[in-house]
């Protein structure tokens, strides 16, 4: 790699942003309380956004704000104030899907860099170049593209137009996200950040002349998950993505947990640094991605137009580990923690520190914040401590296998 691509990580709230920074993100993308495609995430108020930007910039991390819904006419009147407020907060770029919003942002806040969202549906260099002429300086490519198609886009676009692509995370059955199934079935509009994820529900067929008789499409009596796509995982192929011309590697997951953010960011940071050094990806980093909640992994469309994308696990998600506590500091041989999920004295946990493989930790001499002994930590967010023989970087995660 001539230049190490950017590692761009999700930040659903301040804690998840702090975790992404700790574990090696070069940039984070996040949403405010309007115009973002993840309304289920806590997101950021104006004051929180300004504070988050200051914190990120103190760590030399860039902040990209999602303005990637497709706003309706009734929302346009409040859009100018929103754009000016985002600019005042100091974000580094706006991620935008709607052409009208791109034009308005270019006119009202020309000092902000514009990134065209994957929602724009960029699958060829004609679209990429048209967006560049509108003032866009980065395009987030559609997930349907192969590596060869990405190389073609790179060859036929200006060198200062950066290409961003997803490397990890959930994919919906419509891949790049323009879906109306949720709106049709539940009244929740996926294009406005409110998807109910009906592609992950179980389905049966009903034949017209046999009303009330529900026929499973395949598998068993529990139904079918034929719309349920696998998750994307490209951790072992980062060098090829870079060679194809990708400048930013994006991890999906603003609505996912602190644990997911930390583990996935850490794994891809280690893998990206290894690829940049011409070294193989450490096997432990690849294995880490099996410890977060996920559906079956695939390489998406990168290696061909018809991959096996369907997940055959009912309900979809696989999760065998959970976060137990977060490290807050170390004093006099004791590791200071904030509990997240119940664990007991004598339990075997694992410690995940930035840039390092997981380390086994035996819980010994569990105490509350006043030094009183505990047989178990039972109250989330409770300050506790355990015996530990060395300092640990604050923010590091302790986990337990379920």
């Amino acid at each position: 790699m001539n230049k190490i691509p950017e590692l761009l990580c999700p930040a659903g709230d301040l804690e998840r942003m702090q975790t992404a920074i700790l574990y090696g993100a070069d940039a984070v993308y996040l949403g405010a309380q309007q115009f973002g495609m993840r309304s289920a995430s806590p997101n950021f108020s104006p004051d929180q956004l300004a504070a988050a930007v200051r914190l990120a910039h103190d760590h030399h991390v860039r902040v990209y704000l999602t303005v990637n819904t497709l706003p309706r006419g009734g929302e346009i009147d409040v859009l100018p104030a929103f754009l000016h407020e985002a600019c005042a907060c100091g974000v580094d770029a706006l991620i935008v899907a709607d052409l009208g919003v791109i034009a308005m942002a270019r006119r009202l806040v020309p000092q902000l860099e514009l990134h065209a969202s994957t929602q724009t549906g960029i699958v060829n260099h004609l679209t990429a170049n048209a967006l560049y002429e509108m003032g866009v300086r980065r395009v987030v490519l559609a997930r349907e593209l192969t590596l060869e198609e990405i190389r073609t886009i790179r060859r036929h676009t200006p060198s200062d137009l950066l290409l961003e692509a997803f490397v990890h995370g959930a994919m919906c059955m419509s891949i790049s996200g323009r879906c109306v199934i949720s709106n049709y079935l539940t009244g929740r509009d996926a294009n406005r950040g409110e998807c109910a994820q009906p592609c992950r529900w179980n389905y049966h067929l009903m034949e017209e002349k046999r009303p009330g008789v529900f026929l499973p499409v395949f598998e068993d009596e529990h139904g079918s998950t034929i719309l349920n796509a696998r998750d994307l995982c490209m951790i072992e192929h980062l060098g090829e993505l870079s060679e194809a011309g990708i400048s930013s590697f994006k991890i999906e997951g603003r609505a996912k947990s602190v644990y997911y953010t930390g583990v996935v960011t850490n794994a891809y940071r280690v893998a990206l640094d290894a690829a940049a050094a011409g070294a193989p990806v450490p096997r432990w980093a690849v294995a880490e991605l099996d410890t977060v909640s996920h559906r079956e992994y695939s390489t998406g469309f990168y290696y061909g137009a018809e991959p096996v994308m369907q997940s055959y696990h009912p309900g979809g998600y696989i999760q065998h580990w959970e976060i137990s506590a977060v490290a807050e500091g170390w004093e006099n041989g004791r590791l200071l923690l904030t509990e997240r999920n119940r664990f007991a004295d004598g339990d075997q946990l694992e410690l995940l520190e930035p840039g390092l493989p997981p380390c086994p930790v035996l819980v010994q001499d569990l105490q509350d914040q006043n030094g009183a002994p505990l047989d178990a930590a039972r109250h989330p967010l409770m300050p506790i401590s355990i015996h530990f023989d060395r300092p640990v970087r604050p923010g590091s995660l302790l986990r337990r296998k379920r």
Side-chain angles (χ1 to χ4, degrees):
M1 297 181 185
N2 294 325
K3 183 179 180 181
I4 301 178
E6 171 188 83
L7 182 60
L8 175 56
C9 301
D13 60 15
L14 181 60
E15 184 181 17
R16 280 172 269 193
M17 189 191 83
Q18 292 171 321
T19 301
I21 292 171
L22 175 69
Y23 282 94
D26 296 309
V28 296
Y29 64 103
L30 47 77
Q33 294 174 339
Q34 294 173 282
F35 302 110
M37 283 294 291
R38 291 294 181 269
S39 63
S41 301
N43 295 315
F44 292 77
S45 70
D47 289 343
Q48 290 170 335
L49 179 59
V53 171
R54 289 194 296 270
L55 175 64
H57 288 174
D58 286 345
H59 290 84
H60 308 290
V61 170
R62 296 175 291 278
V63 178
Y64 308 146
L65 178 67
T66 59
V67 193
N68 57 347
T69 57
L70 305 178
R72 304 293 178 86
E75 297 173 280
I76 300 305
D77 288 346
V78 300
L79 185 56
F82 177 86
L83 295 174
H84 285 301
E85 193 166 56
C87 186
C89 288
V91 300
D92 296 283
L94 304 177
I95 305 173
V96 187
D98 185 85
L99 296 183
V101 177
I102 289 175
M104 179 181 283
R106 183 68 175 160
R107 185 175 70 253
L108 297 181
V109 286
Q111 62 272 53
L112 281 183
E113 188 172 294
L114 297 180
H115 300 176
S117 168
T118 190
Q119 296 292 113
T120 313
I122 303 156
V123 296
N124 60 63
H125 64 274
L126 294 177
T127 304
N129 285 328
L131 289 163
Y132 179 80
E133 291 172 4
M134 292 182 66
V136 169
R137 289 298 172 263
R138 180 186 298 199
V139 291
V140 188
L141 298 175
R143 291 178 176 90
E144 293 90 339
L145 292 172
T146 66
L147 281 172
E148 188 52 45
E149 290 171 322
I150 292 171
R151 293 185 186 101
T152 299
I153 292 173
R154 181 69 285 170
R155 285 195 300 268
H156 293 91
T157 50
S159 60
D160 61 335
L161 176 66
L162 300 184
L163 306 185
E164 179 181 307
F166 282 91
V167 295
H168 192 89
M171 295 188 292
C172 78
M173 54 85 65
S174 64
I175 309 301
S176 282
R178 288 205 175 191
C179 178
V180 296
I181 296 178
S182 176
N183 203 352
Y184 179 77
L185 293 178
T186 71
R188 291 170 53 179
D189 191 342
N191 295 308
R192 296 163 66 79
E194 299 174 353
C195 185
Q197 299 182 336
C199 56
R200 301 175 197 180
W201 301 348
N202 290 340
Y203 290 90
H204 287 70
L205 288 177
M206 187 180 71
E207 199 272 323
E208 181 181 6
K209 295 181 180 179
R210 288 184 283 176
V213 179
F214 299 100
L215 308 171
V217 180
F218 65 88
E219 290 182 346
D220 56 29
E221 70 277 7
H222 298 298
S224 166
T225 53
I226 58 171
L227 303 179
N228 189 27
R230 296 187 182 193
D231 281 2
L232 178 66
C233 179
M234 290 294 288
I235 192 169
E236 297 183 88
H237 308 281
L238 302 184
E240 294 167 87
L241 287 168
S242 177
E243 179 272 331
I246 303 301
S247 299
S248 179
F249 294 163
K250 189 170 194 172
I251 295 170
E252 182 276 339
R254 280 197 291 132
K256 294 183 179 177
S257 66
V258 168
Y259 176 68
Y260 172 95
T261 302
V263 169
V264 177
T265 301
N266 194 49
Y268 274 87
R269 178 77 272 160
V270 169
L272 184 51
D273 291 345
V281 179
R283 298 315 302 169
W284 68 263
V286 178
E288 278 295 285
L289 299 178
D290 287 328
T291 74
V292 298
S293 176
H294 66 284
R295 293 173 288 176
E296 292 176 277
Y297 286 130
S298 78
T299 55
F301 285 83
Y302 284 117
Y303 294 100
E306 296 182 358
V308 178
M309 293 291 292
Q310 181 182 342
S311 175
Y312 295 98
H313 287 283
Y317 281 99
I318 304 164
Q319 183 174 8
H320 301 303
W321 293 78
E322 67 181 8
I323 184 173
S324 299
V326 178
E328 303 293 348
W330 184 87
E331 293 179 1
N332 302 319
R334 299 200 65 79
L335 183 57
L336 309 180
L337 305 169
T338 299
E339 181 198 349
R340 291 303 172 89
N341 286 290
R342 186 186 185 281
F343 63 94
D345 200 48
D347 279 355
Q348 186 74 48
L349 306 182
E350 284 190 349
L351 172 65
L352 185 65
E353 296 180 87
L356 299 175
C359 168
V361 173
L362 178 65
V363 178
Q364 295 178 300
D365 192 18
L366 181 62
Q367 298 180 7
D368 67 16
Q369 60 183 328
N370 298 314
L374 295 170
D375 63 341
R378 297 185 174 87
H379 306 289
L381 302 183
M382 177 181 178
I384 53 178
S385 68
I386 62 173
H387 171 74
F388 202 68
D389 60 4
R390 64 173 177 82
V392 169
R393 191 169 174 181
S396 297
L397 304 176
L398 279 87
R399 68 187 181 198
R400 183 180 67 165
K401 195 165 188 177
R402 289 179 168 181

